[in-house]
Amino acid sequence: MADDISFQPAPLIDPFQRAITYLRISVTDRCDLRCAYCMSETMQFLPKRDLLSLEELDRLCSVFIARGVRKLRITGGEPLVRRDIMHLFRRLSRHLDSGALKELTLTTNGTQLARFAPELAALGVKRVNVSLDTLDAVKFREVTRRGDLPVVLDGIEAARKAGMQVKINAVALRDVNGDEIPDMIAWAHGLGMDMTLIEVMPLGEIEADRTDQFLPLSVVRQRLEGRYTLTPLPDRTGGPARYVRVEETGGRLGFITPLTHNFCESCNRVRLTCTGQLYLCLGQEDSADLRAVLRATSDDAVLARAVEEAITRKPKGHDFVIERQRPAAVPRHMSVTGG
């Protein structure tokens, strides 16, 4: 089983000689918000029987760690709404204690963070990404369709007090937050938090037309350069962001640009859904059904071979396009794949 992996570990190398060292795991497709660019307002969530158990998630993660994965990011949906989710963090933290895992972290909308931040920090979670697109409470309610901004801000403060490094992730949305991005940067950096800007991605069918939502980060950056001095940095954190230092604040700002600048050349990650589907690329539909293998055998060597075979199919990159009257590039919602 997961604690007794007897096969000889070897790194996972894809067809383009990239070592796969980063696994993002969606533990649920459910969320307590309904962000307009991410979900349909009337989402149909997966039946609970289709989801991997926390024990199965632990076993799969342990197999990946045995094959050279050094960073795990827990995502959703909203991961902290999954029942007993801290049990999974407690189990995975043993790999931090042993040194086999370098980092265990999560991406969250922050609504549950005040409740869980102290224990997360105690278990070795040193960094957390919080998705937050506006500091305007009215806009926040409109974008999330149901969220309360003060609850998220309290969660961020709880994480900071617990000693975790917080990074703010903001999706750039035309006619929503473009004008307040400079002030959000000043706020985040003023509290010692990094911030990353993200372009809208064409994942899943939603009510809105994404051409109306899409704000190119090339445009955002040009506007920011009218107020700030942006110095390119060589920093990489295992994700797709390219970073600059904002000289006036001293803080770091990232740009994730899947549409205006493909970021695939150094991709070192794969994504595991809450149903055990291993997606080799965020922007492609090819996947491997690890749930079937997981439930068919207790032999982790067999499971590891299924992972190895899947990695041989990892593509060089995605081909995201947002066009009016064009279906989403990928039919599954981001909440299914993991943010």
Side-chain angles (χ1 to χ4, degrees):
M1 298 299 290
D3 287 324
D4 183 27
I5 299 174
S6 57
F7 53 84
Q8 196 69 10
L12 294 166
I13 306 295
D14 80 358
F16 304 94
Q17 300 306 301
R18 298 172 297 196
I20 306 305
T21 59
Y22 181 5
L23 176 65
R24 301 173 69 105
I25 311 105
S26 172
V27 296
T28 180
D29 66 326
R30 296 171 186 269
C31 187
D32 50 352
L33 303 180
R34 297 288 185 276
C35 294
Y37 55 82
C38 178
M39 287 186 172
S40 168
E41 190 165 9
T42 55
M43 283 292 292
Q44 296 297 311
F45 293 112
L46 296 166
K48 291 183 180 180
R49 65 179 178 274
D50 290 351
L51 273 60
L52 296 183
S53 70
L54 297 176
E55 290 73 21
E56 288 172 328
L57 286 164
D58 175 36
R59 182 184 169 201
L60 266 175
C61 289
S62 298
V63 166
F64 274 94
I65 291 166
R67 297 308 311 271
V69 163
R70 293 294 173 258
K71 178 176 178 179
L72 296 181
R73 178 174 295 280
I74 306 300
T75 72
E78 169 47 46
L80 297 181
V81 301
R82 172 139 187 192
R83 185 176 180 181
D84 297 328
I85 187 59
M86 294 309 297
H87 174 73
L88 180 62
F89 280 99
R90 293 180 202 116
R91 291 290 296 160
L92 294 176
S93 69
R94 74 191 186 279
H95 297 299
L96 292 173
D97 295 338
S98 72
L101 186 63
K102 181 178 179 181
E103 185 173 22
L104 174 63
T105 185
L106 80 153
T107 295
T108 173
N109 63 26
T111 60
Q112 309 298 315
L113 202 47
R115 174 185 173 192
F116 291 112
E119 186 176 3
L120 287 167
L123 291 171
V125 177
K126 293 182 169 60
R127 295 196 305 135
V128 58
N129 290 357
V130 178
S131 301
L132 178 62
D133 303 319
T134 177
L135 291 173
D136 181 305
V138 174
K139 285 184 183 178
F140 184 82
R141 175 60 69 112
E142 291 174 352
V143 170
T144 64
R145 297 189 177 112
R146 62 189 62 187
D148 291 318
L149 180 63
V151 173
V152 174
L153 296 180
D154 287 347
I156 290 170
E157 183 60 21
R160 294 178 63 242
K161 283 185 176 178
M164 287 190 281
Q165 181 182 348
V166 179
K167 180 166 74 71
I168 302 298
N169 287 344
V171 176
L173 298 167
R174 182 189 296 175
D175 300 327
V176 176
N177 62 0
D179 59 342
E180 66 172 309
I181 286 174
D183 291 334
M184 289 189 69
I185 293 169
W187 165 77
H189 289 176
L191 294 176
M193 302 184 294
D194 287 349
M195 184 167 172
T196 293
L197 301 174
I198 307 170
E199 287 177 336
V200 170
M201 298 186 199
L203 293 168
E205 292 300 327
I206 58 174
E207 292 89 351
D209 189 326
R210 285 195 173 95
T211 54
D212 296 328
Q213 299 175 331
F214 179 53
L215 176 57
L217 288 189
S218 55
V219 172
V220 173
R221 182 164 180 164
Q222 186 176 39
R223 293 175 184 170
L224 287 174
E225 287 171 339
R227 173 169 170 176
Y228 291 128
T229 304
L230 308 181
T231 303
L233 296 172
D235 304 11
R236 300 306 293 266
T237 62
R242 287 176 169 81
Y243 289 95
V244 300
R245 182 173 59 252
V246 181
E247 298 296 346
E248 289 78 3
T249 66
R252 189 167 63 167
L253 176 66
F255 295 89
I256 296 181
T257 53
L259 285 104
T260 59
H261 188 289
N262 187 295
F263 49 60
C264 302
E265 67 274 5
S266 59
C267 182
N268 65 340
R269 58 206 166 276
V270 289
R271 296 168 183 264
L272 181 69
T273 73
C274 52
T275 60
Q277 305 303 305
L278 182 69
Y279 282 94
L280 308 167
C281 174
L282 177 62
Q284 304 279 357
E285 276 296 86
D286 187 26
S287 65
D289 183 1
L290 297 184
R291 182 180 63 184
V293 182
L294 183 73
R295 293 179 176 176
T297 178
S298 61
D299 187 345
D300 285 336
V302 175
L303 188 54
R305 285 194 290 272
V307 170
E308 293 165 15
E309 190 282 327
I311 298 301
T312 66
R313 308 200 308 271
K314 183 170 171 62
K316 188 172 184 179
H318 66 250
D319 186 25
F320 280 141
V321 176
I322 288 181
E323 293 177 359
R324 195 174 297 277
Q325 305 304 325
R326 177 187 172 113
V330 174
R332 67 185 186 277
H333 285 84
M334 191 71 177
S335 60
V336 174
T337 313

